[in-house]
Amino acid sequence: MKKIIIAAAMASILMAPSCSRTAQRAAADDDFNYHADRFADIEVLRYKVPDFDSLSLDQKKLVYYLTQAALWGRDILWDQNYANNLAIRQLLEGVYTNFDGDRSSADFKAFETYMKQVWFGNGIHHHYSTDKFTPAFSREFLEGRIAALPEGVAPENSAELVEVIFNPEIAAKRVNQAEGADLIATSANNFYEPGLTQAEVEAYYASIKKANDPTPISYGLNTRLRKVDGKIVEEPYRVGGLYSEAIEHIVANLDSAKVYAESPAQRQIIESLIDFYTTGDLATFDKYSIEWAEDTQSQVDFINGFIESYGDPLGMTGSWESIVNFKNIPASERTEILSSNAQWFEHNSPVDSAFKKEEVKGVSAKVITAAILAGDSYPATPIGINLPNATWIRAAHGSKSVTLENITQAYDAASHGDGFNEEFVIDQPTRDILDQYLFITDNLHTDLHECLGHASGKLLPGVDPDALKVHGSTIEEARADLFALYYLADPKLLEIGLLDNPEAYKAEYYKYILNGMMTQLMRIEPGKDVEEAHMRNRKLIAEWVYEKGKPDNVIEIVKRDGKTFIQINDYQALRGLFGQLLAEIQRIRSTGDFAAANQLVETYGVKVDPELHREVLDRYSKLDIAPYKGFVNPVYTAVRDAEGNIIDVNVSYDESYVDQMLRYGKQYNGLSKH
Ligand code: ZN
């Protein structure tokens, strides 16, 4: 549960025209087209893979096979997200590629938009809100096109699929987090067989969890729950089990990759992963995770498997994902400096010493270049990742923390001149400090969040790591964000050379409060509450410090010409409030205080002021900035000699969004129903 997802508000405000780093990049990037597609609330960008050509041939081959292993998992995620997703994709792509009518008609255009949305969501639900997409074309249009398809193109149950697409009652939400609802019965994801209830699932896990186990496996991480003869059974995702067809392709490519491993240790990591995919054994997954966490030497690295559990309302089962990457050596200096001071940061935090780690182990951090994004990390992708997720592995063996700088660079370059700061930032001096320092402080915030925030603190003995249940992700993200916010303003960052101006942190503080209280609301539909864990976390923090700072007027809401602005009057007091909340959030996490977590999240993190919401949406809509962004991948082509040996790997960037999606659907059809 440790990933940072960029908010569009962040992405656009990140853009800093007078920041020298940005300006340099923009000048060098004139010929690169970052913009791949735009539809609905989405913009699809391209990212570059700088320095790919500087890798050795063996490293390139390693990357190549790992990218193949990454792309072969795509259909697993589609099926995990919702049981009818793959059949619906087959139907939509069949209609699209066989269409011989008027492509400029309103129905066709609406159909094309819908299909692009489905691709982006890896299924029929929005990747972020998890609401089902509403088609803007007519049911008659789709039924007519299906009737006109050649034999065998449409799935046999097409009529049923059309009903799923058009009936708003069916599979309305992929992940339902609404308080008081049966979260399993009302969520459309495919981690649980239809008919299972939340009470049954919770009782099942309670019955299999060993009490006081210091090294618990990640229960349910790679299984689908079913009921057989009245008893709950787990069906593992593995070779010979669920998703075997796709997993066999992943394993075959991992087998090819391991030949080019950079070291015996890395070869062992790949072998352990293959072993896990073959057996489905979660103890083997822990072995793999430990080996992976301890390998800080390899330049090429990867994530591949069932990792994050945001897609499961109970946070048990992992969605399939993969990211292949290699270390950006010069940029990694920044995170290495933070890591080497990890103990100092832990020691000096405002948290009660009972909840601190006596020894912060193996906090490793690096800046990476993403080479491929796949599964749950594609097309929408995190900008920072910290893994593994198992608390005891992190405590005993450390964790790896990465910042995806070619991704943040693409966001930054693509959002030049979009008018966001002029509309939402209160005055020119604040815009100036954002221009000057937001790019660096935002990157530093990500580094602090990932390499120190998530790695800090400890649970008291006997506290269940899942004690915060539905609020676990929100509280964990708040903890890491607060750690980062608190330290961004610390003179230590100047002392260790990461910032050159004691005022620089104000850029990130302003942006964080603006985003948490206002601009992130542009991602929510009118009338809805905040549901996603990262958004709840940002709202919780911003609203809490606003309220607690009221007596001293720390943050002020200013109305000007009918528009709402945020004004921060006392940045140092704000830092103090971040520290207070960090101490409380760490106490909640360390003691597993569910009641306090529930009270904080429900009071500050969920409810939206409808008037402010409307205003933000109106002002934002005039800017025409897509609230969500994602990426197409580069294309890697193996160059082979006459004997078929790979002699080089080329990377190209010209594939369109539609072409990439159609190609992936054909080429990596991992779970064909035929
Ligand atoms: Zn995080």
Side-chain angles (χ1 to χ4, degrees):
M1 284 155 233
K2 330 286 181 215
K3 74 162 94 168
I4 293 197
I5 298 160
I6 199 163
M10 236 161 130
S12 42
I13 205 169
L14 227 166
M15 193 267 333
S18 68
C19 165
S20 59
R21 214 167 150 187
T22 307
Q24 279 165 14
R25 278 174 173 159
D29 287 336
D30 277 348
D31 55 338
F32 190 81
N33 182 9
Y34 289 96
H35 303 275
D37 211 336
R38 176 76 168 88
F39 51 89
D41 55 355
I42 301 291
E43 181 170 19
V44 182
L45 305 174
R46 291 191 177 84
Y47 62 95
K48 292 196 287 189
V49 188
D51 300 325
F52 180 75
D53 290 333
S54 71
L55 298 177
S56 71
L57 179 57
D58 275 1
Q59 285 177 316
K60 286 182 182 175
K61 290 186 197 173
L62 176 61
V63 168
Y64 177 77
Y65 285 115
L66 291 173
T67 61
Q68 292 296 314
L71 295 172
W72 271 110
R74 179 173 183 243
D75 286 2
I76 296 176
L77 177 76
W78 279 67
D79 193 74
Q80 284 183 309
N81 280 348
Y82 176 54
N84 284 315
N85 275 340
L86 287 170
I88 289 175
R89 190 181 79 198
Q90 185 192 333
L91 181 69
L92 298 177
E93 291 180 356
V95 166
Y96 186 78
T97 53
N98 287 281
F99 187 80
D100 55 3
D102 177 8
R103 288 188 173 244
S104 63
S105 73
D107 264 332
F108 181 79
K109 289 196 147 165
F111 172 79
E112 190 179 37
T113 296
Y114 177 79
M115 190 182 60
K116 288 179 176 180
Q117 288 179 290
V118 171
W119 281 332
F120 199 91
N122 292 297
I124 61 169
H125 301 91
H126 192 277
H127 72 288
Y128 209 77
S129 75
T130 82
D131 292 329
K132 194 168 77 166
F133 296 120
T134 307
F137 52 93
S138 70
R139 188 168 179 148
E140 293 68 37
F141 168 82
L142 182 58
E143 284 169 343
R145 300 317 308 182
I146 293 170
L149 285 177
E151 194 77 22
V153 172
E156 275 168 24
N157 61 339
S158 289
E160 195 185 308
L161 300 176
V162 170
E163 180 65 13
V164 168
I165 291 170
F166 283 95
N167 185 339
E169 305 293 315
I170 301 176
K173 203 156 180 73
R174 177 162 61 83
V175 189
N176 187 18
Q177 302 275 24
E179 205 192 3
D182 183 319
L183 303 183
I184 297 296
T186 57
S187 295
N189 67 63
N190 191 21
F191 298 126
Y192 304 93
E193 185 180 51
L196 285 172
T197 65
Q198 183 178 351
E200 286 174 316
V201 171
E202 283 176 345
Y204 169 75
Y205 281 121
S207 77
I208 62 166
K209 278 189 183 177
K210 282 193 234 159
N212 302 318
D213 181 355
T215 61
I217 57 168
S218 301
Y219 290 97
L221 188 69
N222 65 334
T223 59
R224 180 172 185 269
L225 259 55
R226 280 184 61 195
K227 216 179 203 178
V228 178
D229 300 332
K231 273 186 66 180
I232 290 184
V233 294
E234 289 184 67
E235 285 188 308
Y237 309 142
R238 63 170 166 80
V239 174
L242 265 181
Y243 305 141
S244 185
E245 205 182 333
I247 292 172
E248 286 166 41
H249 284 289
I250 295 169
V251 166
N253 281 290
L254 290 174
D255 255 322
S256 302
K258 77 180 184 195
V259 177
Y260 305 104
E262 291 179 47
S263 64
Q266 192 177 45
R267 188 187 166 100
Q268 176 58 50
I269 292 165
I270 299 175
E271 281 174 353
S272 294
L273 181 58
I274 292 171
D275 198 14
F276 167 62
Y277 275 131
T278 308
T279 61
D281 175 27
L282 284 169
T284 305
F285 179 70
D286 286 344
K287 175 176 180 281
Y288 153 77
S289 298
I290 291 166
E291 290 165 357
W292 180 84
E294 289 182 342
D295 174 26
T296 54
Q297 297 307 308
S298 303
Q299 188 184 2
V300 174
D301 204 351
F302 66 99
I303 295 161
N304 183 309
F306 306 97
I307 310 290
E308 305 287 356
S309 55
Y310 301 106
D312 176 353
L314 298 186
M316 305 301 288
T317 305
S319 298
W320 194 90
E321 71 168 306
S322 183
I323 293 179
V324 181
N325 63 81
F326 55 93
K327 187 173 177 179
N328 176 339
I329 292 166
S332 293
E333 253 174 59
R334 196 177 68 217
T335 50
E336 276 152 18
I337 292 171
L338 285 180
S339 293
S340 62
N341 286 282
Q343 195 63 55
W344 184 91
F345 285 100
E346 181 75 354
H347 193 74
N348 288 281
S349 90
V351 160
D352 187 311
S353 57
F355 309 139
K356 287 182 185 178
K357 279 198 182 114
E358 293 77 12
E359 198 189 339
V360 184
K361 266 193 196 164
V363 184
S364 92
K366 59 185 174 180
V367 176
I368 60 169
T369 301
I372 207 96
L373 311 167
D376 204 25
S377 290
Y378 168 87
T381 197
I383 54 168
I385 303 171
N386 183 311
L387 290 171
N389 278 334
T391 313
W392 68 268
I393 296 179
R394 302 164 67 80
H397 303 276
S399 62
K400 277 202 285 205
S401 173
V402 300
T403 306
L404 290 76
E405 198 146 293
N406 60 330
I407 298 297
T408 58
Q409 185 270 334
Y411 277 126
D412 181 60
S415 59
H416 272 269
D418 62 9
F420 182 93
N421 287 9
E422 286 68 22
E423 178 60 40
F424 287 106
V425 175
I426 186 158
D427 52 26
Q428 195 55 45
T430 310
R431 282 194 287 274
D432 289 344
I433 198 147
L434 293 173
D435 282 351
Q436 240 184 318
Y437 286 108
L438 191 56
F439 189 80
I440 180 63
T441 54
D442 225 13
N443 277 333
L444 266 176
H445 180 273
T446 307
D447 298 339
L448 284 160
H449 174 115
E450 295 295 344
C451 38
L452 303 178
H454 281 306
S456 73
K458 66 174 181 191
L459 298 184
L460 293 187
V463 171
D464 178 355
D466 301 325
L468 302 180
K469 292 178 204 163
V470 63
H471 300 309
S473 300
T474 302
I475 294 296
E476 179 56 23
E477 293 313 317
R479 200 174 74 88
D481 264 1
L482 286 161
F483 200 94
L485 288 166
Y486 179 78
Y487 276 119
L488 263 179
D490 200 287
K492 182 77 176 174
L493 295 193
L494 282 90
E495 190 192 302
I496 58 182
L498 294 179
L499 286 176
D500 61 5
N501 184 335
E503 312 275 292
Y505 74 95
K506 292 180 178 176
E508 180 69 13
Y509 274 29
Y510 187 84
K511 185 222 70 180
Y512 196 93
I513 299 297
L514 175 65
N515 185 52
M517 289 184 74
M518 283 181 59
T519 48
Q520 71 166 350
L521 294 178
M522 52 83 189
R523 317 174 97 196
I524 310 267
E525 281 177 45
K528 297 226 159 109
D529 286 337
V530 178
E531 290 173 13
E532 197 276 335
H534 293 80
M535 288 183 72
R536 282 188 169 183
N537 138 50
R538 294 180 194 125
K539 185 168 185 308
L540 185 166
I541 292 174
E543 300 278 359
W544 190 93
V545 294
Y546 170 66
E547 190 181 294
K548 301 294 166 184
K550 259 187 186 163
D552 302 315
N553 206 19
V554 176
I555 299 170
E556 200 174 336
I557 293 179
V558 176
K559 296 273 184 187
R560 221 164 47 197
D561 306 329
K563 291 180 176 180
T564 309
F565 292 90
I566 303 288
Q567 179 169 306
I568 298 179
N569 294 318
D570 189 341
Y571 280 92
Q572 273 303 313
L574 179 55
R575 185 192 184 208
L577 291 168
F578 285 143
Q580 272 180 41
L581 185 56
L582 172 60
E584 170 61 3
I585 292 267
Q586 182 62 55
R587 184 199 65 75
I588 289 172
R589 175 94 175 104
S590 291
T591 61
D593 187 345
F594 176 79
N598 189 56
Q599 200 265 339
L600 267 185
V601 176
E602 295 295 338
T603 309
Y604 300 102
V606 181
K607 287 275 170 285
V608 176
D609 170 1
E611 223 170 288
L612 181 64
H613 190 189
R614 164 77 44 209
E615 181 196 321
V616 168
L617 291 175
D618 285 351
R619 288 166 67 184
Y620 200 78
S621 67
K622 293 191 184 108
L623 298 176
D624 195 34
I625 302 170
Y628 301 95
K629 294 184 172 76
F631 294 89
V632 288
N633 279 315
V635 181
Y636 296 88
T637 311
V639 183
R640 294 174 192 271
D641 65 13
E643 281 85 54
N645 304 308
I646 296 179
I647 51 169
D648 200 1
V649 178
N650 289 337
V651 56
S652 62
Y653 302 101
D654 42 16
E655 194 167 35
S656 75
Y657 177 64
V658 170
D659 287 347
Q660 182 156 96
M661 289 296 176
L662 288 174
R663 180 170 67 85
Y664 282 2
K666 273 208 194 86
Q667 201 172 336
Y668 304 101
N669 192 352
L671 299 173
S672 65
K673 304 267 179 242
H674 308 294

